[in-house]
Amino acid sequence: MNDDVEQSDPVAVLEGQVWALAAVVATLREAGTGSLEEALAADPARTAVLEAAGVVRRDGAEVTAAPALRLGPGAANAAAARLSSMRQAVAAAGGEAVTGWEAQSDDVLLDQGRASAGTGHALATRLAPALPGLADRLATAGSRVLDIGTGTGALALALAQDLPHVHVTGIDKLERAVRLARQELDKAGPGAADRVEVRHQDAAELRERDRYDLIWLPAPFLSDDALDACLPRVAAALTDGGWLVAGTNPAPREPLLAAVADWTAARNGGSALTSHRMRRALDDLGFQDLREIPSVPGGPVLVAGRCPDRAGSGS
């Protein structure tokens, strides 16, 4: 095969991109425990791959990294998310017929959980103060937060760590994830973990009313049918004036990314719900003060809505 044919082979290009993504993940993992500069200097050959991929640019001695690498303390969480995705891709390449999260390995569940810790910290420290009335609610003793699809409990624990007056309940319909969550909470030791409880429950089976001041809903992990079934129950579980924050995927601009989103949603029993569709769903349920909030570059878009005063609305 001559060079021109090899360079135009799209499969060879994709294989190179797999290794480029591996270099991104490895660099993020190291940056999470040190600094990005140290991670880039630690493996020049790996950094050369990042340069070739356009993720890192060098101008003499000065190195400039794309925003996806400049995540500071969130680098380890981003690495875990990418690693979870790569593990799932390897399983798909090996012919594993995964039809939901219950078929994923413990390693995938744990990586996905570790990735969610960054979301928990962001909810507590950046988003809550920006949503009217929410920070005051969460600073009150006895305030409650519900983490839907808690997985291995990392997001719930992060919320408890940053919100010292809050009790966090995590629910998940996957019993094995709940067992892993309890093990992870035990490892965390006394303190914030004492204010976290996890239970085996489907969000569509919520029966609580007027209980939670904040509910986190990771929409991509639920199927469209599951979202339709749980959203009215989630709304009922909020206190008047409480907030629902839903994580959604950004609408892919490239056909490849859109196709991958649909494939992974089908394999995991989730959805490729966009922020615009979630906002419409919350509007239909009567939520107020709706807003869409970007997260990290290329990451989820958060959709937040405030539960109306039911007595005041006559409902």
Side-chain angles (χ1 to χ4, degrees):
M1 179 181 293
N2 62 43
D3 289 343
D4 290 338
V5 174
E6 185 173 0
Q7 289 175 4
S8 64
D9 179 2
V11 175
V13 172
L14 288 173
E15 185 177 1
Q17 290 172 345
V18 169
W19 280 96
L21 182 56
V24 167
V25 172
T27 301
L28 285 171
R29 284 168 61 88
E30 292 181 17
T33 57
S35 70
L36 177 58
E37 290 72 22
E38 290 170 341
L40 293 173
D43 191 335
R46 184 180 69 198
T47 300
V49 172
L50 298 177
E51 289 184 62
V55 181
V56 168
R57 298 187 184 280
R58 189 183 300 275
D59 184 6
E62 184 177 350
V63 176
T64 304
L69 284 180
R70 292 187 281 104
L71 300 178
N77 300 128
R82 303 282 187 191
L83 185 57
S84 175
S85 178
M86 291 183 73
R87 290 187 196 276
Q88 294 173 61
V90 170
E96 294 183 21
V98 174
T99 56
W101 283 99
E102 64 272 11
Q104 298 287 0
S105 69
D106 286 358
D107 285 339
V108 168
L109 295 179
L110 288 166
D111 281 335
Q112 196 67 45
R114 294 177 187 120
S116 72
T119 300
H121 290 304
L123 286 172
T125 62
R126 297 202 297 274
L127 188 63
L131 298 178
L134 183 57
D136 289 339
R137 283 172 175 262
L138 299 180
T140 302
S143 55
R144 290 184 173 271
V145 176
L146 177 64
D147 173 23
I148 294 175
T150 194
T152 58
L155 186 147
L157 180 60
L159 286 169
Q161 289 169 337
D162 290 334
L163 301 169
H165 299 288
V166 160
H167 179 91
V168 184
T169 299
I171 64 172
D172 203 295
K173 70 175 186 177
L174 179 57
E175 191 170 6
R176 179 163 55 95
V178 173
R179 289 199 302 270
L180 289 170
R182 288 175 178 151
Q183 293 171 12
E184 292 295 292
L185 290 170
D186 287 343
K187 291 178 185 177
D194 295 335
R195 290 181 286 106
V196 179
E197 66 165 321
V198 292
R199 65 179 186 239
H200 179 216
Q201 184 178 22
D202 192 324
E205 297 173 357
L206 272 175
R207 295 292 184 271
E208 297 160 298
R209 299 185 65 87
D210 305 322
R211 183 166 180 79
Y212 299 102
D213 301 293
L214 169 65
I215 296 179
W216 165 250
L217 176 67
F221 295 91
L222 284 74
S223 68
D224 289 337
D225 288 344
L227 283 168
D228 290 340
C230 83
L231 276 174
R233 297 191 180 277
V234 169
L238 277 169
T239 56
D240 287 358
W243 284 85
L244 169 64
V245 179
T248 68
N249 288 321
R253 296 181 179 180
E254 299 180 15
L256 173 60
L257 297 181
V260 168
D262 289 340
W263 186 26
T264 55
R267 281 176 57 82
N268 293 330
S271 72
L273 188 77
T274 64
S275 58
H276 302 305
R277 285 177 55 203
M278 174 57 76
R279 183 169 183 155
R280 286 198 302 269
L282 296 188
D283 187 43
D284 290 344
L285 286 168
F287 278 82
Q288 300 173 347
D289 203 6
L290 296 171
R291 53 190 71 191
E292 297 178 32
I293 306 154
S295 60
V296 297
V301 176
L302 308 183
V303 178
R306 182 169 53 83
C307 182
D309 185 332
R310 298 177 181 90
S313 64
S315 59

